[in-house]
Amino acid sequence: MRAEQLNPVVATPYGSVRGRYENGIAVFQGIPYAAPPIGPHRFRPPVPPEPWTGVRDTLAFGPTAPKPPYSEAFAKLLSDPVVPGDDCLNLNVWTPEPGPGARLPVMVWLHGGALTRGSSAVPVYDGHAFARDGVVMVSVNYRLGVEGYGLFPDAPANPGLRDQLAALRWVHESIAAFGGDPDRITLFGQSAGAISIGTLIAAPQAQGLVRRAVLQSGPPEAFDRDKVRRMVRRMATRLKIPATAEAFAAVDRELLLRTQADVGKLSSPVLGGPTFGIVIDGDLVPRDPLEALVDGEVGRGVDLMLGWTRDEYRLWLVPGGLHERVDRLGAVALAGAMARCHCGVEVPRGYRALHPGAGTAETVGQLVTDHLLRYPLHRLADARPGTSHVYEFAWPSNRPDLGSCHALELGFVFDTGEIPESAKLAGQGAPQDLADAMHGAWVRFAVDGDPGWQTWDDTHPVRVFGEGEPYVAHGPRDPEFALWAADAVTKAKEAVVPVEGEGAAPVRSATELRSVVRRLRRTGDVRRSS
């Protein structure tokens, strides 16, 4: 075997890197795309790395961004390895054909973790399967938590998002040397990664860098600046320092992480509370990204694939027993959810009619998930008909009570279901045919924009990946988070929604219930609530 087959070498704008072959795939790990965010670079936008001479070995994952560990309950389900070191602005490349001329499609992965946890080193995100199937895959580390998304009077906002933009520019400039096509870059990410992608495709500085985007369980959104400020101020109060970047930079990093974890204990997508997130900054994020994508011209050339899991909320409520506590709170929890979703009593009444045996936690979870996630993604698809594909992941975990929870689809998308880290969430015996279907759809989308089902139109096709063969369900026709008339409940329970290949099927989801209510209103069978 020739030496270059054992140790592939590729030139980047800052110096040459040496990777290694694994099962016929060339792997490069820990390539720096920006300088270490330490010293004068802390809490500041990323700057290019120092060029190097000779060939740099990139044979192992680079340092991960500073982050607190998951709680014990979540650590049993989610892996989050830590690689020590300051040079955390790095990325990884898997390619079947390193070298210019191959012009293969490129997929760039942005991990989730609520912008406070996660990294490209999570084993579930291994890129071998994508490279095996003819895609150059890149995964990225970026700053997290207070260092990536804290809001300070003496530092620019969104440094973590700026890291992602710097990595995307690196890919656009460098990926041809690894065998990729810079004109066929697909950004894909889950949860916070998907939220980031929605913001990037709306960002003026990122126009023309992305051809396609996959948003898994995360809509484009800008977080409330006051919520982010409250997080920073609460940390400052505990640390007894000013709420400035200069003061935070002087604090021991481990103490900073412990304080961040303590202050953020009560924050969750369901419960709300102060949090770290992307904010409108007048520069990289000049306006709310969802509104920019819905009614503006930005990102018009980007094909979209959007989706969610059927029981997103179960990952947030089941670990640690929060599901049972919400059930015990009953009406109090429901009132909080109604306030969070800006709706009246008719809405939870409709959810309970759809699921008569459901407890408060299930009603609250689906209500908040629809409001925060499914409804914004429906809005985005409605604004981009003909270039959007929508899916739902509905396979239930083999772990008790998790259902089709948030993040469960990842092992299927990456075709890494056989590794122990995927089994932590899915349990043993995850179906390989489902992984083949999902992973294949993601690859096809990256190749030519067609994952295998029709684009969004006025019939609203949704590809459902669950038990058995994937199928396409149609609906809802006009998702609208509005007050539902009380007398719609009985009629909606008896209504039917057409499903391709199955004729008529009973209403099966909250979004379908809204569709039915809307249709009944249009036909005059239900009076509109004021």
Side-chain angles (χ1 to χ4, degrees):
M1 183 175 289
R2 294 179 300 174
E4 60 267 28
Q5 290 179 303
L6 291 174
N7 300 295
V9 175
V10 173
T12 80
Y14 305 106
S16 295
V17 294
R18 179 185 292 110
R20 69 185 184 282
Y21 278 100
E22 292 182 354
N23 299 319
I25 302 301
V27 183
F28 302 81
Q29 294 172 311
I31 304 173
Y33 66 83
I38 57 175
H41 302 311
R42 276 189 88 187
F43 298 100
R44 314 302 299 182
V47 297
E50 286 292 326
W52 59 88
T53 58
V55 180
R56 179 175 183 146
D57 283 333
T58 53
L59 305 174
F61 285 117
T64 53
K67 56 189 174 178
Y70 280 118
S71 68
E72 183 179 354
F74 278 94
K76 293 177 180 178
L77 301 173
L78 302 172
S79 297
D80 197 9
V82 172
V83 180
D86 294 323
D87 202 359
C88 63
L89 301 186
N90 59 71
L91 51 77
N92 318 293
V93 180
W94 289 261
T95 175
E97 193 173 340
R103 307 290 289 187
L104 298 171
V106 180
M107 299 187 74
V108 180
W109 171 250
L110 298 182
H111 67 81
L115 299 176
T116 58
R117 295 175 174 88
S119 78
S120 64
V122 173
V124 177
Y125 309 152
D126 185 276
H128 274 83
F130 281 108
R132 174 200 69 199
D133 295 332
V135 172
V136 177
M137 203 204 94
V138 181
S139 60
V140 176
N141 282 338
Y142 55 91
R143 279 174 284 182
L144 303 169
V146 70
E147 295 198 40
Y149 297 93
L151 192 55
F152 299 98
D154 57 337
N158 302 316
L161 185 69
R162 296 174 193 274
D163 295 343
Q164 296 169 356
L165 177 61
L168 181 58
R169 285 173 170 160
W170 184 97
V171 171
H172 201 264
E173 295 169 2
S174 310
I175 205 63
F178 291 84
D181 183 350
D183 294 326
R184 282 198 294 169
I185 294 175
T186 298
L187 269 179
F188 73 127
Q190 184 264 351
S191 195
I195 292 170
S196 301
I197 289 170
T199 306
L200 285 170
I201 60 177
Q205 295 93 323
Q207 300 306 294
L209 297 179
V210 179
R211 181 66 186 85
R212 300 182 179 95
V214 183
L215 279 66
Q216 300 173 215
S217 300
E221 67 176 331
F223 288 67
D224 184 278
R225 291 177 68 93
D226 286 338
K227 279 191 173 184
V228 180
R229 281 198 189 98
R230 285 205 301 274
M231 235 353 225
V232 172
R233 288 170 181 163
R234 290 181 183 184
M235 288 183 66
T237 298
R238 292 203 180 194
L239 294 166
K240 299 179 181 179
I241 60 172
T244 64
E246 181 182 13
F248 272 62
V251 176
D252 173 77
R253 183 168 269 160
E254 290 303 316
L255 175 59
L256 205 61
L257 291 175
R258 288 198 301 271
T259 306
Q260 175 185 303
D262 288 342
V263 169
K265 277 182 179 177
L266 297 181
S267 297
S268 83
V270 174
L271 299 178
T275 187
F276 289 115
I278 298 164
V279 297
I280 295 173
D281 57 20
D283 172 26
L284 183 57
V285 191
R287 60 180 298 204
D288 182 273
L290 178 60
E291 301 306 322
L293 291 169
V294 165
D295 62 23
E297 292 303 314
V298 295
R300 282 290 167 183
V302 179
D303 298 331
L304 299 175
M305 187 159 72
L306 319 167
W308 51 79
T309 72
R310 186 188 60 197
D311 306 313
E312 299 272 4
Y313 70 96
R314 286 185 174 269
L315 183 64
W316 305 318
L317 293 185
V318 171
L322 189 56
H323 193 278
E324 290 79 5
R325 290 199 291 274
V326 171
D327 272 341
R328 286 197 299 269
L329 285 170
V332 174
L334 196 57
M338 285 168 17
R340 183 157 167 72
C341 298
H342 313 290
C343 69
V345 295
E346 292 85 355
V347 176
R349 190 176 295 153
Y351 281 77
R352 283 178 164 168
L354 180 63
H355 300 289
T360 301
E362 182 171 348
T363 302
V364 166
Q366 292 288 6
L367 176 64
V368 175
T369 301
D370 274 358
H371 175 66
L372 295 179
L373 198 159
R374 296 189 185 105
Y375 174 55
L377 290 177
H378 271 290
R379 281 193 64 204
L380 182 54
D382 280 342
R384 305 292 174 108
T387 60
S388 300
H389 294 83
V390 178
Y391 75 88
E392 177 178 273
F393 180 81
W395 181 80
S397 171
N398 288 325
R399 298 288 187 191
D401 302 321
L402 286 178
S404 305
C405 69
H406 191 69
L408 181 58
E409 87 281 11
L410 293 172
F412 297 90
V413 168
F414 282 87
D415 194 9
T416 52
E418 79 287 351
I419 66 173
E421 289 80 6
S422 289
K424 289 175 71 173
L425 198 59
Q428 299 297 323
Q432 181 60 45
D433 56 349
L434 181 57
D436 293 341
M438 291 197 75
H439 176 75
W442 266 241
V443 169
R444 288 191 296 272
F445 183 72
V447 170
D448 60 14
D450 182 3
W453 66 95
Q454 71 239 56
T455 56
W456 194 256
D457 57 23
D458 59 5
T459 70
H460 289 192
V462 179
R463 186 70 159 180
V464 180
F465 294 96
E467 298 177 283
E469 286 293 320
Y471 63 91
V472 173
H474 293 271
R477 302 292 183 268
D478 184 10
E480 179 182 278
F481 209 89
L483 296 177
W484 296 345
D487 58 345
V489 172
T490 301
K491 294 179 180 179
K493 286 174 65 179
E494 299 168 353
V496 295
V497 175
V499 177
E500 184 176 293
E502 298 181 11
V507 175
R508 296 171 303 171
S509 72
T511 46
E512 288 178 354
L513 177 59
R514 286 204 300 276
S515 171
V516 171
V517 172
R518 184 63 176 167
R519 187 167 68 248
L520 291 171
R521 284 176 176 167
R522 285 200 303 268
T523 61
D525 291 335
V526 179
R527 65 179 181 272
R528 181 178 295 276
S529 176
S530 60

